[in-house]
Amino acid sequence: MTNDERVRTPARRKSDLLARLERETDIWVATADAHGVPCLVPLWFVWHEESFWLCTRGTNPTGRNLRDGGRTRLALGHTRDVVLVDGEARAFGAGEVPVAAADAFTAKTGWDPRADSPAYVFFQVRPVAVQAWHEVPELRGRHLMRDGAWIV
């Protein structure tokens, strides 16, 4: 098989990505504080109504950075099968989170933070940019979303 035969079309990449968002449970969440100190942690997520929904304590570094900075980079996969998402984050307390989003999170993860502790905060991450590629042959055409709109 040649490199050209392994390269997925943009439509196939988007389809593969959306399927992956349904089956995977963990995502890497990168944030930074006001001083630029980075933080990288894995969190459970659900893809619901064109947004990622995450949950963590509002007082830990990731929670504070998402709430205060409002931006994040999410990552799936290993170095040969990459998905990078730049997104804008919005915080929701347990009583504010849309019920459908919290229920989707609970159904996927088996954990309902609303019943756990008031310290947990839900975060909606709306993607602004999405890239996906398998190794070097797919670097060209890796951008699937720009400025919050799918380009494929």
Side-chain angles (χ1 to χ4, degrees):
M1 181 179 286
T2 67
N3 281 344
D4 290 340
E5 291 170 333
R6 291 188 314 191
V7 176
R8 297 171 295 167
T9 65
R12 174 66 188 269
R13 289 184 205 201
K14 181 180 176 185
S15 174
D16 289 351
L17 166 67
L18 293 175
R20 197 168 176 186
L21 295 179
E22 292 301 319
R23 78 176 177 268
E24 293 203 26
T25 305
D26 302 306
I27 197 161
W28 286 101
V29 181
T31 61
D33 68 15
H35 303 289
V37 177
C39 181
L40 178 66
V41 298
L43 293 177
W44 285 345
F45 80 97
V46 67
W47 174 250
H48 177 73
E49 295 183 355
E50 296 289 311
S51 290
F52 293 87
W53 288 87
L54 319 166
C55 191
T56 191
R57 291 182 183 271
T59 56
N60 69 26
T62 299
R64 288 191 311 267
N65 295 347
L66 286 169
R67 183 191 63 236
D68 298 344
R71 295 180 4 192
T72 185
R73 175 167 270 187
L74 307 175
L76 285 169
H78 51 77
T79 58
R80 294 179 189 240
D81 185 12
V82 178
V83 173
L84 294 178
V85 177
D86 293 316
E88 297 173 345
R90 182 175 169 200
F92 292 87
E96 305 165 324
V97 64
V99 173
D103 287 349
F105 183 90
T106 300
K108 185 174 184 184
T109 66
W111 173 55
D112 187 350
R114 297 168 295 182
D116 195 332
S117 166
Y120 285 105
V121 177
F122 284 87
F123 293 92
Q124 176 188 30
V125 177
R126 292 188 181 267
V128 175
V130 177
Q131 301 175 58
W133 70 91
H134 286 163
E135 302 183 2
V136 172
E138 285 195 357
L139 284 175
R140 175 176 280 154
R142 68 186 174 270
H143 297 277
L144 304 179
M145 176 185 282
R146 284 194 175 110
D147 300 322
W150 293 105
I151 57 175
V152 295

